[in-house]
Amino acid sequence: MSERKTTATITLEEPIQRGTTTITDVTVRKPKSGELRGTQLVNLLHMDVAALEVILPRITQPTLTKADVANLDPADLTQFGVEVSGFLLTRANREGYPSA
């Protein structure tokens, strides 16, 4: 049986510039149920942009803002969506599921 993954590090295709700091890697962690408030699970499973804008600021390190998420390269947003939706699946459902 595969071990349950609780974090993933995303290397950004297009780094985020914050003042003099350049963010090239972001760690995303599996959300707790309370952090999912204000979203619908089905929207996260569908990698809905609005749902990701709500949840990613709660589960990323360094913390991404809603504006950061809105300005992500589409390839980077897809990487985050794949990881977040993967966190919501059971072990049985994750068999053969892609990882970013």
Side-chain angles (χ1 to χ4, degrees):
M1 214 175 261
S2 65
E3 192 173 312
R4 189 158 182 105
K5 184 174 164 180
T6 59
T7 64
T9 299
I10 306 289
T11 299
L12 300 175
E13 292 289 319
E14 189 171 309
I16 297 169
Q17 192 67 41
R18 282 197 189 147
T20 59
T21 304
T22 301
I23 301 169
T24 58
D25 297 290
V26 178
T27 300
V28 62
R29 67 173 172 74
K30 180 180 172 190
K32 301 288 185 188
S33 294
E35 292 166 323
L36 298 171
R37 70 189 178 285
T39 63
Q40 292 183 10
L41 295 179
V42 70
N43 290 345
L44 288 172
L45 288 168
H46 288 160
M47 297 189 284
D48 178 76
V49 174
L52 290 170
E53 285 179 335
V54 169
I55 195 74
L56 288 176
R58 300 174 185 172
I59 62 170
T60 52
Q61 185 60 40
T63 302
L64 298 182
T65 65
K66 185 175 181 177
D68 290 334
V69 177
N71 289 313
L72 284 172
D73 182 280
D76 293 328
L77 185 62
T78 300
Q79 288 186 86
F80 283 109
V82 167
E83 293 299 343
V84 170
S85 60
F87 288 145
L88 303 178
L89 299 175
T90 64
R91 282 186 191 99
N93 288 337
R94 279 194 316 274
E95 291 296 319
Y97 188 78
S99 174

